Amino acid sequence: MKIVFVGGWASSPNQYPQLSESARFLVPFTGFEPVDLPGQIAQGGEVLVGWSTGAHMLLKDCRHLFESYERVILIAPFLSFTDSFPERLVRRMISGMKTDPAGVVSSFHENCGETDPPDYNPADYASLVSGLEYLIFSKIEIPEKVSCPNLTIVHGVKDRIVRRKALDKVAEVVESARFIEAGSGHKISETELMGIIRE
């Protein structure tokens, strides 16, 4: 199965080791710039997965490519990150990166429900800060509803990062999508994720 996975802020293939063995795993900011994502996934495939910031980027800049994939799965997508995660907290994270970047990244993963967070790489500092700034300013404006019959949207019922009210705003502009509630936080387990991909 040809799978492309677009991760979230500070994500790593190590978070989904089974998936990363077979999928093309793309990490925003540390691995690619947002403007480059359409070109990275234009070749199409069987399954396109976006998680959190990756889901936002796909919905914002790549929805014209959804038809190039048999299935598209967006996990915890949002139109604007600050719809559920206050801007002041993102700015606090940016400030905290100056003094304790490892602590900021670790705390974020903990709030995602991550049980085995990836290590912070000091070489990623500037890219991670840029990513936080992106999350403050990036917004999706969709003037007309988008019909995506091959789209599945997944939301963790315990998600403390992208809360239900942010997901509801996505639901307002997307037609024909299938919605799944996962029994997890912001990061769903690999077992649950693989089950959704293989359905």
Side-chain angles (χ1 to χ4, degrees):
M1 184 179 294
K2 188 176 180 182
I3 304 169
V4 178
F5 183 96
V6 186
W9 184 80
S11 64
S12 164
N14 295 334
Q15 292 177 281
Y16 290 112
Q18 181 183 349
L19 177 64
S20 63
E21 285 182 0
S22 57
R24 189 162 160 245
F25 205 103
L26 305 176
V27 180
F29 314 115
T30 57
F32 68 88
E33 292 298 321
V35 69
D36 296 327
L37 183 57
Q40 295 256 5
I41 67 164
Q43 71 277 15
E46 292 180 75
V47 184
L48 174 64
V49 185
W51 171 31
S52 191
T53 301
H56 170 81
M57 291 177 171
L58 290 175
L59 191 57
K60 181 180 181 181
D61 299 318
C62 303
R63 58 183 183 272
H64 64 289
L65 296 170
F66 286 1
E67 62 185 21
S68 299
Y69 290 82
E70 293 178 19
R71 298 176 59 212
V72 178
I73 301 168
L74 300 183
I75 305 164
F78 51 85
L79 301 183
S80 169
F81 190 61
T82 56
D83 282 341
S84 67
F85 198 92
E87 180 179 332
R88 61 181 171 79
L89 295 184
V90 183
R91 293 196 179 279
R92 188 181 299 171
M93 290 174 69
I94 293 172
S95 179
M97 288 290 290
K98 297 174 184 176
T99 55
D100 184 17
V104 170
V105 173
S106 176
S107 178
F108 178 76
H109 283 302
E110 182 179 341
N111 285 324
C112 289
E114 177 63 82
T115 56
D116 186 21
D119 293 331
Y120 165 70
N121 181 353
D124 293 339
Y125 172 82
S127 297
L128 292 175
V129 171
S130 175
L132 291 172
E133 292 169 346
Y134 172 93
L135 288 172
I136 291 175
F137 296 108
S138 182
K139 318 288 181 192
I140 300 176
E141 295 183 5
I142 302 178
E144 297 180 359
K145 286 195 174 184
V146 179
S147 179
C148 298
N150 65 335
L151 175 61
T152 298
I153 294 178
V154 183
H155 185 250
V157 294
K158 301 174 185 176
D159 196 332
R160 300 169 56 187
I161 306 297
V162 177
R163 300 178 189 274
R164 181 72 201 204
K165 62 181 180 179
L167 187 80
D168 288 342
K169 290 189 176 184
V170 174
E172 289 174 5
V173 298
V174 177
E175 291 182 328
S176 307
R178 175 189 179 204
F179 286 81
I180 294 176
E181 284 194 338
S184 63
H186 189 58
K187 178 185 181 283
I188 69 174
S189 72
E190 183 159 58
T191 299
E192 198 160 17
L193 175 58
M194 294 305 293
I196 293 169
I197 289 174
R198 290 168 175 161
E199 283 181 351

